[in-house]
């Protein structure tokens, strides 16, 4: 569906309010007066806002428009039970009552104007101990998703991590960094956010600059990450090991969390403490166990010790540090074990991934 938001009302005060909300959401609007809207216009509009004053006339008309998704009935009278009947009459998905519903309606208008569909699959990566390789895995996951043709955004959630732009070899790439969004509140446009960020290796990157600022308020993180998710595709977030209000805001928006745990008992002990705190916010946290694997240790055993589901076993990759130093980001070698691990992970995680379930073993992604 393309074009302007369609408004159907003869109530001048309601029309003024709806035009104001469309302007606030950055959406163009077209007003249908008198007779029911032409069928083509009714069907092609990304969103139809029907004033309560026109609902009965529309539903009883001999040229009543066809039922379609994306129709909202907008009214004002909180004490009128008939508004719900009229909403059913015009096939409305929701009944919105102003002024209480203004914030929700503005967001819905903005979603329609942006062409928002299914939200992005949002995956957070965190290290079970220092140096576990969380940033490496986050970069490789994002690079692999982008290479497969998915719209991909990589978000650096660790202000003290040195910057993922460095790991991707793009510290001089043009585009905005986190400090530019520190004052963001409410709703951030998804398309505008995407276009403002550096583009590296087929993905968009939100990283930190080299300045002194190392904090973004939770409200700004909520607005920015919400905008990233509305663009669809894949969002990968590299997270620090600490848990503060800002990190908790990110965790609350994740679909899946991955805790990278080296295959050693000391790392398991450290990861248990982190997992116990993250579990309070994130419903789905899984272990990625990183090799090499010592005698008697494998991914299943470490996941059992942690009391977590196993997302996969990630083998070590020779020459990875040297490749990064030479400007080749993690996951760039499509034949390497890291890229294979990420490819198998996305094949399972993404609905359109398809493919058969790979066999278990080193580098496999567990169900």
């Amino acid at each position: 569906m393309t074009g302007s938001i369609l408004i159907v009302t003869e109530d001048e005060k309601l029309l003024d309010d709806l035009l104001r909300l469309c302007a606030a959401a950055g959406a163009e609007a077209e007003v249908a007066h008198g007779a029911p809207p032409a069928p083509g216009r009714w069907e092609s509009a990304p969103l139809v806002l029907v004033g309560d004053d026109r609902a009965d006339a529309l539903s009883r008309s001999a040229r009543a428009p066809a039922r379609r998704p994306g129709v909202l009935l907008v009214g004002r009278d909180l004490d009128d039970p008939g508004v719900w009947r009229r909403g059913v009459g015009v096939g409305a998905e929701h009944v919105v009552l102003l002024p209480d519903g203004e914030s929700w309606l503005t967001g819905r208008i903005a979603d329609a104007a942006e062409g928002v569909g299914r939200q992005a699959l949002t995956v957070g990566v965190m290290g079970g101990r220092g140096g576990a390789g969380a940033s490496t895995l986050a970069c490789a996951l994002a690079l692999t998703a982008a290479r497969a043709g998915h719209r991909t955004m990589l978000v650096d959630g660790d202000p003290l991590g040195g910057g993922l732009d460095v790991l991707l070899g793009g510290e001089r790439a043009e585009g905005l960094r986190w400090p530019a969004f520190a004052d963001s509140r409410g709703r951030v446009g998804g398309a505008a956010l995407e276009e403002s960020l550096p583009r590296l290796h087929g993905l968009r990157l939100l990283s930190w600059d080299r300045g002194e600022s190392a904090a973004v308020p939770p409200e700004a993180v909520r607005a920015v990450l919400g905008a990233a998710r509305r663009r669809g595709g894949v969002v990968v977030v590299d997270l620090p090991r600490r848990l503060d209000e800002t990190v908790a805001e990110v965790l609350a928006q994740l679909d899946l969390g991955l805790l990278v745990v080296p295959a050693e008992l000391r790392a398991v002990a450290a990861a248990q403490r982190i997992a116990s705190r993250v579990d309070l916010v994130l419903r789905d946290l899984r272990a990625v166990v990183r090799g090499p694997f010592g005698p008697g240790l494998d991914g299943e055993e470490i996941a059992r010790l942690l009391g977590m589901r196993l997302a996969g076993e990630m083998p070590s990759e020779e020459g990875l540090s040297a490749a990064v130093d030479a400007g080749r980001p993690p996951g760039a070698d499509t034949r390497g074990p890291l890229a294979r691990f990420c490819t198998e992970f996305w094949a399972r995680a993404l609905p359109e991934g398809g493919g058969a379930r790979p066999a278990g073993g080193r580098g496999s992604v567990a169900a």
Side-chain angles (χ1 to χ4, degrees), residues 3 43 103 134 136 148 168 172 183 188-189 215 232 266 335 338 363:
E43 294 168 357
S103 178
T136 296
L168 290 176
R172 296 184 180 178
D183 295 328
V188 173
R266 185 181 177 191
R335 295 177 295 178
L338 181 58

Side-chain angles (χ1 to χ4, degrees), residues 62-347:
R63 293 192 295 126
R67 298 297 175 105
R68 51 149 290 179
V71 175
L72 308 180
L73 181 66
V74 187
R76 293 184 181 281
D77 190 351
L78 297 172
D79 298 321
D80 179 9
V83 70
W84 309 105
R85 174 188 56 79
R86 293 189 290 276
V88 172
V90 296
E93 288 184 356
H94 295 279
V95 173
V96 188
L97 298 177
L98 304 182
D100 292 358
E102 281 197 1
S103 178
W104 183 90
L105 182 55
T106 302
R108 184 65 188 271
I109 293 170
D111 284 348
E114 287 187 31
V116 173
R118 185 170 59 193
Q119 288 199 337
L121 176 65
T122 307
V123 178
V125 187
M126 180 180 290
R129 67 155 170 79
S135 296
T136 296
L137 177 58
C139 286
L141 284 171
L143 193 66
T144 305
R147 189 163 52 226
H150 300 289
R151 171 181 271 138
T152 305
M153 186 176 296
L154 176 60
V155 178
D156 189 349
D158 187 358
L160 303 180
L164 291 186
D165 53 353
V166 177
L167 196 56
L168 290 176
E171 58 269 28
R172 296 184 180 178
E174 293 186 0
L176 299 183
R177 267 65 171 180
W178 263 120
F181 300 98
D183 295 328
S184 298
R185 298 292 187 276
R187 183 186 177 90
V188 173
L193 171 68
E194 186 177 41
E195 291 301 318
S196 71
L197 300 179
R199 182 176 178 87
L200 300 166
H201 308 285
L203 58 88
R204 294 289 179 173
L205 172 65
L206 177 54
S207 187
W208 295 88
D209 60 12
R210 309 284 93 79
E212 296 181 0
S213 175
V216 172
E219 296 82 1
V221 171
R222 181 186 308 123
V224 170
L225 192 55
R229 297 182 69 211
R230 288 196 302 273
R231 293 297 286 166
V234 168
V235 175
V236 180
V237 188
D238 180 32
L239 289 165
R241 292 167 57 231
R242 68 181 185 279
L243 184 60
D244 55 21
E245 289 185 7
T246 299
V247 174
E249 183 60 52
V250 177
L251 292 174
Q253 296 203 45
L254 296 182
D255 296 304
L256 172 65
L258 301 177
L259 187 64
V260 184
V261 186
E264 56 189 46
L265 292 178
R266 185 181 177 191
V268 172
Q272 284 176 327
R273 299 183 65 182
I274 295 173
S276 65
R277 301 184 65 194
V278 173
D279 280 341
L280 298 174
V281 184
L282 178 61
R283 290 178 297 176
D284 194 352
L285 178 66
R286 307 184 191 184
V288 173
V289 182
R290 196 196 77 192
F293 295 84
L297 283 180
D298 61 16
E300 293 287 355
E301 176 63 15
I302 290 177
R304 186 190 66 80
L305 293 172
L306 290 169
M308 298 169 59
R309 295 177 64 185
L310 178 66
E313 295 179 349
M314 186 174 68
S316 57
E317 182 168 332
E318 293 184 5
L320 183 59
S321 296
V324 171
D325 290 341
R328 296 189 299 275
D333 181 3
T334 58
R335 295 177 295 178
L338 181 58
R340 292 200 303 271
F341 171 88
C342 294
T343 298
E344 292 176 358
F345 173 84
W346 290 125

